[in-house]
Amino acid sequence: MAFGRSSRRGAPPEPVTLKILVAGGFGVGKTTLVGAVSEIRPLRTEETLSEAGRPVDDLSGVEGKATTTVAMDFGRIALREDLVLYLFGTPGQNRFWFLWDELAQGALGAVVLADTRRLEDCFAAVDYFERRDIPFAVAVNCFEGANRYPAETVRAALDLDPEVPVLIGDARERESVKEILVAVVEHALVRANHAREPATT
């Protein structure tokens, strides 16, 4: 039987799809990062900040912020023809952290966004991924007016292991975000390969 042009013989293989979390403190730029790089219209679950939330929402350093993510952000990017990333931005406020366990299921790795003006706000995310042994990279989002520090200074301040990638970037810039995502994927794959290596005696 002859096959026509519609035959699947020789068709490109289905791309590998990987799940990456984007985490960090409140107002650090997670929604912006997903939106900057997503090839589809990103799904956002933002709500307007209310007076009722003022007692529990710390707006120090982000006084101009008017909305907050209450469930997740979602975007998609093809890093290569055979590699697609699904991006899940986590809510940054403490009262929504119960969602993190659901979002983390099946994740290859994570980006922890950091703001040097409020570096302590990303401690909880770093601790979360360390405790669950989920590979992650720290990306310092360079806000206007914020002090710039070398990556190794940030690593020391966060007490990170030497193998954790630390990058300086801009969550608004597509190419900068792509570099961050590539670093996370590469780090996670190296970790996975090491885990599969047989133990030597």
Side-chain angles (χ1 to χ4, degrees), residues 71-149:
M72 68 173 184
D73 299 307
F74 173 77
R76 176 189 185 278
I77 178 175
L79 286 184
R80 299 191 313 247
E81 188 176 293
D82 60 345
L83 178 60
V84 172
L85 301 185
Y86 291 133
L87 307 177
F88 290 79
T90 64
Q93 294 158 287
N94 295 8
R95 67 181 187 273
F96 298 124
W97 280 357
F98 67 92
L99 295 169
W100 283 38
D101 286 341
E102 291 292 331
L103 292 175
Q105 290 186 22
L108 174 80
V111 176
V112 176
L113 270 182
D115 178 353
T116 57
R117 300 169 301 179
R118 300 175 292 122
L119 199 58
E120 67 279 1
D121 287 0
C122 73
F123 287 170
V126 168
D127 184 63
Y128 181 91
F129 296 121
E130 285 181 341
R131 287 178 180 272
R132 287 157 181 80
D133 200 29
I134 297 174
F136 68 95
V138 171
V140 177
N141 192 10
C142 294
F143 286 89
E144 293 180 11
N147 291 328
R148 306 292 177 96
Y149 298 98

